[in-house]
Amino acid sequence: PGTATPPPPSTTPATTPTTTPASSPTSPGTSPTSQPTSGPSTCTALPSSISLTANSKLPDPFKFISGKRAASKADWACRRDEISQLFQRYELGTLPGKPQSLTATYSGGKLTINVSDSGKSISFQVSVSIPSSGSAPYPAIIGYGGLSIPTPSGVAVITFNNDDIAAQASSSSRGQGKFYQLYGSQHSASAMTAWAWGVSRIIDALEITSSVPINLQRIGVTGCSRNGKGALVAGAFDTRIALTIPQESGSGGAGCWRISDAMLKSGINTQTASEIVGENVWFSTQFSQYVNQVPNLPFDHHMLSALVAPRGLLIIDNTGIDWLGPQSVWGCQKTANKVWQALGAADAMGVSQVGNHNHCAFPSNEQGDLDAFVNKFLKGQNTNTNIIKTDGANGLGFVDANWVDWTVPTLS
Ligand code: MCU
Protein backbone atom coordinates (compact mmCIF):
# COMPACT_ATOMS: atom_id res chain seq x y z
CA PRO A 1 0.00 0.00 0.00
CA GLY A 2 1.07 3.55 -0.61
CA THR A 3 1.65 6.07 2.08
CA ALA A 4 -0.37 9.23 2.53
CA THR A 5 0.36 12.21 0.40
CA PRO A 6 1.87 14.77 2.73
CA PRO A 7 -0.68 17.42 3.71
CA PRO A 8 -0.11 21.00 2.58
CA PRO A 9 2.17 22.92 4.94
CA SER A 10 0.20 24.13 7.91
CA THR A 11 -0.84 27.73 7.55
CA THR A 12 -0.47 30.30 10.25
CA PRO A 13 -3.87 31.58 11.37
CA ALA A 14 -4.45 35.28 10.73
CA THR A 15 -5.12 35.80 14.38
CA THR A 16 -3.20 33.50 16.67
CA PRO A 17 -5.24 32.98 19.79
CA THR A 18 -3.35 31.80 22.81
CA THR A 19 -4.38 28.20 23.21
CA THR A 20 -2.68 25.81 25.51
CA PRO A 21 -2.99 22.09 24.87
CA ALA A 22 -5.43 20.75 27.40
CA SER A 23 -3.64 18.99 30.19
CA SER A 24 -6.70 18.33 32.34
CA PRO A 25 -8.45 15.53 30.50
CA THR A 26 -12.21 15.51 30.19
CA SER A 27 -13.61 12.05 30.60
CA PRO A 28 -13.68 10.15 27.30
CA GLY A 29 -16.93 10.44 25.42
CA THR A 30 -18.01 13.68 26.97
CA SER A 31 -17.75 17.14 25.61
CA PRO A 32 -18.85 19.33 28.46
CA THR A 33 -20.82 22.11 26.85
CA SER A 34 -21.27 21.51 23.15
CA GLN A 35 -24.33 19.50 22.30
CA PRO A 36 -23.79 16.26 20.42
CA THR A 37 -25.91 15.96 17.30
CA SER A 38 -29.19 14.23 17.94
CA GLY A 39 -32.10 12.96 15.89
CA PRO A 40 -35.78 13.82 15.90
CA SER A 41 -37.21 14.22 19.42
CA THR A 42 -39.77 11.49 18.81
CA CYS A 43 -37.07 8.80 18.63
CA THR A 44 -36.59 6.24 21.39
CA ALA A 45 -33.32 6.82 23.20
CA LEU A 46 -30.58 4.27 22.62
CA PRO A 47 -30.09 2.18 25.79
CA SER A 48 -26.89 3.02 27.64
CA SER A 49 -25.97 -0.65 27.68
CA ILE A 50 -26.58 -2.95 24.74
CA SER A 51 -25.97 -6.69 24.77
CA LEU A 52 -24.19 -7.43 21.55
CA THR A 53 -24.80 -10.70 19.74
CA ALA A 54 -22.62 -12.13 17.03
CA ASN A 55 -23.88 -11.76 13.47
CA SER A 56 -21.55 -12.96 10.74
CA LYS A 57 -23.69 -11.36 7.99
CA LEU A 58 -23.98 -7.67 7.21
CA PRO A 59 -26.44 -6.42 9.86
CA ASP A 60 -29.92 -5.29 8.85
CA PRO A 61 -29.71 -1.50 8.50
CA PHE A 62 -33.47 -1.18 9.01
CA LYS A 63 -33.67 -3.07 12.30
CA PHE A 64 -33.52 -0.99 15.47
CA ILE A 65 -31.63 -2.26 18.52
CA SER A 66 -35.11 -2.73 20.07
CA GLY A 67 -35.88 -5.31 17.38
CA LYS A 68 -38.46 -3.12 15.64
CA ARG A 69 -37.97 -2.70 11.90
CA ALA A 70 -38.18 0.68 10.15
CA ALA A 71 -41.31 0.87 7.98
CA SER A 72 -41.54 4.56 7.14
CA LYS A 73 -39.24 7.45 6.29
CA ALA A 74 -39.98 8.85 9.76
CA ASP A 75 -38.78 5.56 11.27
CA TRP A 76 -35.68 5.77 9.13
CA ALA A 77 -34.88 9.25 10.51
CA CYS A 78 -34.79 7.67 13.98
CA ARG A 79 -32.88 4.60 12.86
CA ARG A 80 -30.39 6.85 11.05
CA ASP A 81 -29.78 8.67 14.30
CA GLU A 82 -29.43 5.37 16.14
CA ILE A 83 -26.84 4.15 13.64
CA SER A 84 -24.95 7.43 14.03
CA GLN A 85 -24.87 6.94 17.80
CA LEU A 86 -23.76 3.32 17.44
CA PHE A 87 -20.84 4.32 15.23
CA GLN A 88 -19.85 6.99 17.74
CA ARG A 89 -20.11 4.58 20.66
CA TYR A 90 -18.27 1.58 19.24
CA GLU A 91 -16.00 2.81 16.47
CA LEU A 92 -15.51 6.52 15.96
CA GLY A 93 -15.89 8.33 19.29
CA THR A 94 -18.23 11.18 20.15
CA LEU A 95 -18.85 13.93 17.64
CA PRO A 96 -19.42 17.23 19.47
CA GLY A 97 -22.18 19.42 18.08
CA LYS A 98 -22.07 23.12 17.38
CA PRO A 99 -19.50 24.91 19.52
CA GLN A 100 -20.49 27.82 21.79
CA SER A 101 -18.99 30.39 19.46
CA LEU A 102 -17.79 30.45 15.88
CA THR A 103 -16.64 33.45 13.88
CA ALA A 104 -15.02 33.61 10.46
CA THR A 105 -13.18 36.05 8.24
CA TYR A 106 -12.49 35.76 4.53
CA SER A 107 -9.59 37.45 2.83
CA GLY A 108 -7.27 36.66 -0.06
CA GLY A 109 -8.86 33.29 -0.73
CA LYS A 110 -8.40 32.18 2.88
CA LEU A 111 -11.29 31.49 5.19
CA THR A 112 -10.20 31.77 8.82
CA ILE A 113 -12.44 29.97 11.29
CA ASN A 114 -12.29 30.81 15.01
CA VAL A 115 -13.98 28.43 17.39
CA SER A 116 -14.44 28.72 21.15
CA ASP A 117 -15.97 26.29 23.58
CA SER A 118 -15.68 25.88 27.36
CA GLY A 119 -13.19 28.69 27.67
CA LYS A 120 -10.79 27.37 25.04
CA SER A 121 -10.25 28.65 21.52
CA ILE A 122 -8.70 27.48 18.28
CA SER A 123 -8.37 28.99 14.85
CA PHE A 124 -7.85 27.22 11.54
CA GLN A 125 -7.73 28.23 7.92
CA VAL A 126 -8.93 26.70 4.68
CA SER A 127 -8.14 27.97 1.21
CA VAL A 128 -10.97 28.65 -1.20
CA SER A 129 -10.20 28.49 -4.90
CA ILE A 130 -12.91 30.14 -6.99
CA PRO A 131 -13.37 28.53 -10.44
CA SER A 132 -12.64 30.47 -13.60
CA SER A 133 -15.91 29.35 -15.19
CA GLY A 134 -19.49 29.12 -13.97
CA SER A 135 -21.20 31.80 -11.93
CA ALA A 136 -21.57 32.80 -8.30
CA PRO A 137 -22.71 31.45 -5.95
CA TYR A 138 -20.54 28.48 -6.94
CA PRO A 139 -20.87 24.87 -5.90
CA ALA A 140 -17.90 23.81 -3.81
CA ILE A 141 -16.03 20.65 -2.97
CA ILE A 142 -14.10 20.29 0.27
CA GLY A 143 -10.95 18.24 -0.37
CA TYR A 144 -9.14 16.55 2.51
CA GLY A 145 -5.53 17.54 1.81
CA GLY A 146 -6.61 18.85 -1.62
CA LEU A 147 -8.23 16.89 -4.45
CA SER A 148 -7.12 13.56 -5.88
CA ILE A 149 -9.97 13.66 -8.40
CA PRO A 150 -9.70 16.02 -11.37
CA THR A 151 -11.00 19.46 -10.39
CA PRO A 152 -14.55 19.74 -11.74
CA SER A 153 -15.15 22.82 -13.88
CA GLY A 154 -17.24 25.57 -12.36
CA VAL A 155 -16.77 24.16 -8.84
CA ALA A 156 -14.84 25.95 -6.09
CA VAL A 157 -12.25 23.87 -4.23
CA ILE A 158 -11.93 24.25 -0.47
CA THR A 159 -8.68 22.71 0.70
CA PHE A 160 -8.98 21.30 4.19
CA ASN A 161 -5.75 20.52 6.01
CA ASN A 162 -7.36 17.79 8.10
CA ASP A 163 -4.07 16.79 9.76
CA ASP A 164 -4.04 20.22 11.41
CA ILE A 165 -7.32 19.37 13.19
CA ALA A 166 -6.27 15.83 14.19
CA ALA A 167 -2.88 14.31 13.48
CA GLN A 168 -2.65 10.95 11.70
CA ALA A 169 1.08 10.40 11.82
CA SER A 170 0.96 6.98 13.47
CA SER A 171 -0.67 5.09 16.30
CA SER A 172 1.07 7.45 18.70
CA SER A 173 -0.48 10.64 17.36
CA ARG A 174 -3.70 10.22 19.30
CA GLY A 175 -5.04 13.38 20.85
CA GLN A 176 -2.83 15.69 18.79
CA GLY A 177 -4.20 18.55 16.71
CA LYS A 178 -6.44 21.57 17.14
CA PHE A 179 -9.59 19.58 17.89
CA TYR A 180 -7.89 18.19 20.99
CA GLN A 181 -6.56 21.61 21.98
CA LEU A 182 -10.21 22.64 22.16
CA TYR A 183 -11.84 19.55 23.64
CA GLY A 184 -8.95 17.95 25.52
CA SER A 185 -6.37 15.40 24.46
CA GLN A 186 -8.42 12.61 26.06
CA HIS A 187 -11.58 13.34 24.06
CA SER A 188 -13.02 10.11 22.66
CA ALA A 189 -13.29 11.42 19.08
CA SER A 190 -11.01 9.56 16.70
CA ALA A 191 -9.08 11.52 14.09
CA MET A 192 -11.81 10.85 11.52
CA THR A 193 -14.49 12.18 13.87
CA ALA A 194 -12.41 15.25 14.65
CA TRP A 195 -12.01 15.90 10.92
CA ALA A 196 -15.76 15.53 10.36
CA TRP A 197 -16.26 18.09 13.14
CA GLY A 198 -13.84 20.36 11.25
CA VAL A 199 -15.79 19.99 8.00
CA SER A 200 -18.98 20.94 9.83
CA ARG A 201 -17.26 24.04 11.18
CA ILE A 202 -16.17 24.97 7.63
CA ILE A 203 -19.82 24.79 6.58
CA ASP A 204 -20.88 26.80 9.65
CA ALA A 205 -18.34 29.44 8.60
CA LEU A 206 -19.61 29.49 5.01
CA GLU A 207 -23.14 30.00 6.37
CA ILE A 208 -22.17 33.18 8.19
CA THR A 209 -19.68 34.64 5.70
CA SER A 210 -21.64 36.07 2.80
CA SER A 211 -18.46 37.35 1.10
CA VAL A 212 -17.52 33.77 0.11
CA PRO A 213 -19.50 33.13 -3.09
CA ILE A 214 -20.48 29.52 -2.31
CA ASN A 215 -23.88 27.90 -2.81
CA LEU A 216 -24.65 26.24 0.52
CA GLN A 217 -27.02 23.77 -1.13
CA ARG A 218 -24.22 22.46 -3.35
CA ILE A 219 -21.36 21.36 -1.13
CA GLY A 220 -19.38 18.18 -1.74
CA VAL A 221 -16.59 16.45 0.17
CA THR A 222 -13.83 14.16 -1.05
CA GLY A 223 -10.50 12.63 -0.11
CA CYS A 224 -8.41 9.65 -1.13
CA SER A 225 -7.25 6.61 0.82
CA ARG A 226 -7.08 7.44 4.56
CA ASN A 227 -8.57 10.80 3.67
CA GLY A 228 -11.27 8.99 1.70
CA LYS A 229 -12.23 7.14 4.85
CA GLY A 230 -12.42 10.55 6.49
CA ALA A 231 -14.52 12.09 3.72
CA LEU A 232 -17.06 9.27 4.09
CA VAL A 233 -17.37 9.95 7.82
CA ALA A 234 -17.92 13.69 7.17
CA GLY A 235 -20.63 12.95 4.60
CA ALA A 236 -22.23 10.47 6.98
CA PHE A 237 -22.54 12.93 9.85
CA ASP A 238 -23.34 16.28 8.24
CA THR A 239 -26.56 16.40 6.23
CA ARG A 240 -25.61 19.78 4.74
CA ILE A 241 -23.23 17.90 2.43
CA ALA A 242 -24.95 17.23 -0.91
CA LEU A 243 -22.33 14.91 -2.43
CA THR A 244 -19.75 12.65 -0.79
CA ILE A 245 -16.97 11.12 -2.89
CA PRO A 246 -14.67 8.74 -0.98
CA GLN A 247 -11.88 7.65 -3.31
CA GLU A 248 -10.00 4.37 -2.75
CA SER A 249 -10.85 4.47 0.95
CA GLY A 250 -10.49 0.71 1.38
CA SER A 251 -11.11 -1.20 4.60
CA GLY A 252 -12.22 1.22 7.28
CA GLY A 253 -13.85 3.36 4.64
CA ALA A 254 -16.08 1.89 1.96
CA GLY A 255 -15.10 -1.68 2.87
CA CYS A 256 -17.02 -3.77 5.40
CA TRP A 257 -15.02 -5.22 8.31
CA ARG A 258 -16.73 -8.59 8.03
CA ILE A 259 -15.94 -9.00 4.32
CA SER A 260 -12.36 -7.78 4.79
CA ASP A 261 -11.90 -10.41 7.52
CA ALA A 262 -13.25 -13.07 5.15
CA MET A 263 -10.87 -11.93 2.42
CA LEU A 264 -7.86 -12.22 4.71
CA LYS A 265 -9.06 -15.64 5.85
CA SER A 266 -9.18 -16.75 2.23
CA GLY A 267 -5.56 -15.69 1.76
CA ILE A 268 -5.93 -12.23 0.23
CA ASN A 269 -3.67 -9.63 1.84
CA THR A 270 -6.37 -7.20 2.87
CA GLN A 271 -6.41 -4.69 5.66
CA THR A 272 -8.64 -5.70 8.57
CA ALA A 273 -9.99 -4.01 11.70
CA SER A 274 -7.47 -5.93 13.74
CA GLU A 275 -4.57 -4.53 11.71
CA ILE A 276 -5.86 -0.99 11.26
CA VAL A 277 -6.11 -0.04 14.94
CA GLY A 278 -2.39 -0.64 15.35
CA GLU A 279 -1.53 1.44 12.34
CA ASN A 280 -3.09 4.79 13.09
CA VAL A 281 -5.62 6.79 15.12
CA TRP A 282 -8.43 6.86 12.58
CA PHE A 283 -10.71 4.97 15.00
CA SER A 284 -11.55 5.42 18.68
CA THR A 285 -9.74 3.59 21.46
CA GLN A 286 -13.08 1.88 22.22
CA PHE A 287 -13.04 0.21 18.82
CA SER A 288 -9.97 -1.85 19.71
CA GLN A 289 -12.16 -4.03 21.94
CA TYR A 290 -14.12 -5.23 18.93
CA VAL A 291 -11.50 -5.71 16.24
CA ASN A 292 -11.04 -9.39 17.04
CA GLN A 293 -14.76 -9.98 17.35
CA VAL A 294 -16.07 -8.04 14.39
CA PRO A 295 -19.33 -10.07 14.17
CA ASN A 296 -20.35 -8.53 17.52
CA LEU A 297 -20.43 -5.04 16.07
CA PRO A 298 -24.07 -3.95 15.65
CA PHE A 299 -23.19 -2.45 12.27
CA ASP A 300 -20.78 -2.64 9.38
CA HIS A 301 -19.72 0.01 6.91
CA HIS A 302 -22.69 -0.44 4.58
CA MET A 303 -24.43 1.35 7.45
CA LEU A 304 -21.84 4.14 7.61
CA SER A 305 -22.66 4.83 3.98
CA ALA A 306 -26.37 4.51 4.77
CA LEU A 307 -26.11 7.60 6.97
CA VAL A 308 -25.52 9.56 3.76
CA ALA A 309 -28.81 8.41 2.18
CA PRO A 310 -30.74 9.79 0.38
CA ARG A 311 -28.05 12.38 -0.38
CA GLY A 312 -25.50 11.85 -3.14
CA LEU A 313 -22.68 9.33 -2.62
CA LEU A 314 -20.21 8.15 -5.24
CA ILE A 315 -17.76 5.44 -4.17
CA ILE A 316 -14.68 5.59 -6.39
CA ASP A 317 -12.56 2.50 -6.00
CA ASN A 318 -9.70 0.44 -7.38
CA THR A 319 -9.95 -3.28 -8.17
CA GLY A 320 -6.19 -3.63 -8.50
CA ILE A 321 -4.94 -3.34 -4.91
CA ASP A 322 -5.72 -6.25 -2.56
CA TRP A 323 -4.86 -4.21 0.53
CA LEU A 324 -7.85 -1.95 -0.19
CA GLY A 325 -10.17 -4.94 -0.11
CA PRO A 326 -11.88 -4.53 -3.50
CA GLN A 327 -14.25 -7.45 -2.85
CA SER A 328 -15.09 -5.95 0.50
CA VAL A 329 -15.80 -2.49 -0.92
CA TRP A 330 -17.89 -3.91 -3.74
CA GLY A 331 -20.07 -6.17 -1.58
CA CYS A 332 -20.35 -3.60 1.18
CA GLN A 333 -21.42 -0.76 -1.05
CA LYS A 334 -23.74 -2.79 -3.28
CA THR A 335 -25.44 -3.64 -0.01
CA ALA A 336 -25.44 -0.01 1.15
CA ASN A 337 -27.33 0.89 -2.01
CA LYS A 338 -30.31 -1.06 -0.66
CA VAL A 339 -30.94 1.79 1.79
CA TRP A 340 -31.20 4.27 -1.06
CA GLN A 341 -33.52 1.78 -2.80
CA ALA A 342 -35.75 1.73 0.28
CA LEU A 343 -35.86 5.52 0.25
CA GLY A 344 -36.76 5.59 -3.45
CA ALA A 345 -33.44 7.18 -4.40
CA ALA A 346 -31.35 4.26 -5.67
CA ASP A 347 -29.53 6.36 -8.25
CA ALA A 348 -28.27 8.91 -5.71
CA MET A 349 -25.66 6.34 -4.66
CA GLY A 350 -23.14 4.87 -7.07
CA VAL A 351 -20.06 2.69 -7.14
CA SER A 352 -17.36 2.95 -9.79
CA GLN A 353 -14.61 0.38 -9.33
CA VAL A 354 -11.83 0.29 -11.90
CA GLY A 355 -8.34 -1.23 -11.80
CA ASN A 356 -5.03 -0.82 -13.64
CA HIS A 357 -3.94 2.45 -12.11
CA ASN A 358 -1.85 3.59 -9.16
CA HIS A 359 -3.40 4.24 -5.77
CA CYS A 360 -5.24 7.59 -5.81
CA ALA A 361 -4.45 8.17 -9.50
CA PHE A 362 -7.87 8.83 -11.01
CA PRO A 363 -8.21 6.87 -14.27
CA SER A 364 -9.70 8.73 -17.23
CA ASN A 365 -12.26 5.98 -17.87
CA GLU A 366 -14.00 6.95 -14.62
CA GLN A 367 -14.42 10.59 -15.66
CA GLY A 368 -17.93 10.06 -17.00
CA ASP A 369 -19.09 8.52 -13.69
CA LEU A 370 -17.62 11.41 -11.73
CA ASP A 371 -19.14 13.99 -14.06
CA ALA A 372 -22.59 12.40 -13.81
CA PHE A 373 -22.58 12.72 -10.00
CA VAL A 374 -20.94 16.16 -9.88
CA ASN A 375 -23.27 17.54 -12.54
CA LYS A 376 -26.37 16.24 -10.77
CA PHE A 377 -25.56 16.94 -7.13
CA LEU A 378 -23.29 19.98 -7.38
CA LYS A 379 -24.65 21.63 -10.52
CA GLY A 380 -28.31 20.61 -10.45
CA GLN A 381 -28.29 18.97 -13.88
CA ASN A 382 -30.40 16.01 -14.89
CA THR A 383 -27.85 13.24 -15.49
CA ASN A 384 -27.96 9.46 -15.42
CA THR A 385 -26.35 8.36 -12.16
CA ASN A 386 -27.44 4.75 -12.35
CA ILE A 387 -23.83 3.63 -11.90
CA ILE A 388 -22.93 0.52 -9.91
CA LYS A 389 -20.07 -1.18 -11.66
CA THR A 390 -16.86 -3.08 -11.16
CA ASP A 391 -14.32 -4.30 -13.69
CA GLY A 392 -13.46 -7.15 -11.32
CA ALA A 393 -14.11 -10.64 -12.71
CA ASN A 394 -17.48 -12.25 -11.86
CA GLY A 395 -18.73 -9.32 -9.81
CA LEU A 396 -15.76 -10.08 -7.56
CA GLY A 397 -17.52 -13.22 -6.41
CA PHE A 398 -19.89 -11.37 -4.11
CA VAL A 399 -22.97 -13.48 -3.46
CA ASP A 400 -25.77 -11.50 -1.82
CA ALA A 401 -27.25 -14.50 -0.04
CA ASN A 402 -23.96 -15.16 1.76
CA TRP A 403 -24.01 -11.74 3.38
CA VAL A 404 -27.53 -10.36 3.40
CA ASP A 405 -30.35 -12.10 5.29
CA TRP A 406 -32.85 -9.23 5.24
CA THR A 407 -35.14 -7.75 2.62
CA VAL A 408 -35.47 -4.18 1.43
CA PRO A 409 -38.58 -2.47 2.76
CA THR A 410 -40.37 0.30 0.91
CA LEU A 411 -40.25 3.15 3.40
CA SER A 412 -43.54 5.01 3.10
C1 MCU B 1 -6.36 3.06 2.07
O1 MCU B 1 -5.90 3.93 3.11
C2 MCU B 1 -4.69 3.71 3.79
C3 MCU B 1 -4.61 2.32 4.37
O2 MCU B 1 -5.70 2.14 5.25
C4 MCU B 1 -3.30 2.16 5.10
O3 MCU B 1 -3.15 0.83 5.58
C5 MCU B 1 -2.13 2.50 4.21
O4 MCU B 1 -0.98 2.52 4.98
O5 MCU B 1 -2.29 3.79 3.70
C6 MCU B 1 -3.44 3.98 2.93
C7 MCU B 1 -3.35 5.40 2.49
O6 MCU B 1 -3.83 6.29 3.15
O7 MCU B 1 -2.57 5.62 1.42
C8 MCU B 1 -2.35 6.94 1.00
Side-chain angles (χ1 to χ4, degrees):
T3 48
T5 325
S10 64
T11 46
T12 313
T15 53
T16 314
T18 44
T19 54
T20 29
S23 52
S24 56
T26 52
S27 63
T30 60
S31 91
T33 54
S34 64
Q35 291 305 307
T37 47
S38 61
S41 56
T42 48
C43 303
T44 311
L46 190 64
S48 56
S49 156
I50 299 169
S51 72
L52 300 174
T53 49
N55 179 357
S56 59
K57 303 213 166 166
L58 299 179
D60 182 351
F62 303 102
K63 196 169 153 191
F64 287 89
I65 290 293
S66 69
K68 174 186 156 177
R69 208 159 183 257
S72 63
K73 287 182 179 161
D75 286 349
W76 174 255
C78 288
R79 175 60 175 151
R80 180 186 176 277
D81 181 58
E82 183 174 284
I83 295 169
S84 157
Q85 292 184 53
L86 291 169
F87 269 101
Q88 291 178 64
R89 190 180 292 184
Y90 295 105
E91 185 182 299
L92 294 168
T94 302
L95 175 67
K98 275 201 195 292
Q100 283 171 329
S101 141
L102 185 142
T103 61
T105 53
Y106 183 56
S107 162
K110 304 273 183 209
L111 179 64
T112 303
I113 304 162
N114 312 299
V115 187
S116 306
D117 212 333
S118 308
K120 294 214 171 98
S121 302
I122 58 157
S123 180
F124 69 103
Q125 250 185 4
V126 293
S127 67
V128 182
S129 164
I130 299 298
S132 53
S133 62
S135 54
Y138 301 94
I141 189 153
I142 300 170
Y144 276 51
L147 296 194
S148 295
I149 52 170
T151 302
S153 69
V155 175
V157 176
I158 298 177
T159 302
F160 175 41
N161 181 2
N162 51 309
D163 293 25
D164 181 39
I165 298 296
Q168 56 168 336
S170 71
S171 61
S172 37
S173 51
R174 192 170 296 279
Q176 293 170 21
K178 288 177 178 168
F179 175 92
Y180 304 99
Q181 290 174 22
L182 191 62
Y183 288 118
S185 61
Q186 301 297 312
H187 193 282
S188 70
S190 61
M192 293 207 289
T193 302
W195 302 335
W197 175 90
V199 168
S200 293
R201 304 294 75 83
I202 296 170
I203 301 174
D204 293 347
L206 294 172
E207 285 178 349
I208 58 169
T209 316
S210 54
S211 54
V212 200
I214 300 299
N215 183 344
L216 295 166
Q217 310 306 314
R218 305 260 182 239
I219 295 177
V221 65
T222 189
C224 192
S225 207
R226 57 195 65 199
N227 288 340
K229 303 183 213 295
L232 177 56
V233 173
F237 285 134
D238 197 320
T239 56
R240 294 172 296 181
I241 296 169
L243 177 62
T244 302
I245 310 178
Q247 180 184 7
E248 301 188 44
S249 59
S251 297
C256 275
W257 300 122
R258 286 167 178 79
I259 313 180
S260 296
D261 276 357
M263 288 180 67
L264 183 66
K265 214 169 159 194
S266 75
I268 304 170
N269 181 29
T270 295
Q271 186 161 38
T272 60
S274 163
E275 190 280 342
I276 211 167
V277 295
E279 185 180 329
N280 217 303
V281 293
W282 299 312
F283 299 94
S284 67
T285 53
Q286 280 293 318
F287 184 53
S288 302
Q289 291 176 42
Y290 301 99
V291 296
N292 294 314
Q293 36 174 324
V294 160
N296 279 352
L297 289 170
F299 52 71
D300 213 318
H301 275 218
H302 60 307
M303 287 162 60
L304 183 63
S305 289
L307 296 176
V308 182
R311 291 171 291 127
L313 174 64
L314 174 63
I315 303 291
I316 296 175
D317 199 56
N318 189 339
T319 35
I321 303 175
D322 284 349
W323 186 248
L324 298 173
Q327 287 89 333
S328 178
V329 170
W330 174 247
C332 191
Q333 298 304 321
K334 257 189 84 179
T335 305
N337 185 267
K338 294 178 192 289
V339 175
W340 275 260
Q341 291 167 30
L343 291 164
D347 68 351
M349 187 273 181
V351 184
S352 176
Q353 202 180 38
V354 170
N356 292 309
H357 57 89
N358 288 336
H359 186 39
C360 295
F362 186 86
S364 57
N365 56 1
E366 276 183 309
Q367 187 70 49
D369 302 339
L370 177 63
D371 289 347
F373 273 81
V374 165
N375 291 347
K376 181 180 277 183
F377 293 100
L378 296 186
K379 299 186 190 173
Q381 296 171 15
N382 189 7
T383 59
N384 178 1
T385 51
N386 244 311
I387 300 162
I388 299 206
K389 65 177 204 207
T390 181
D391 66 0
N394 304 318
L396 289 172
F398 182 76
V399 180
D400 246 60
N402 292 343
W403 291 101
V404 179
D405 60 4
W406 38 270
T407 55
V408 181
T410 303
L411 300 174
S412 53

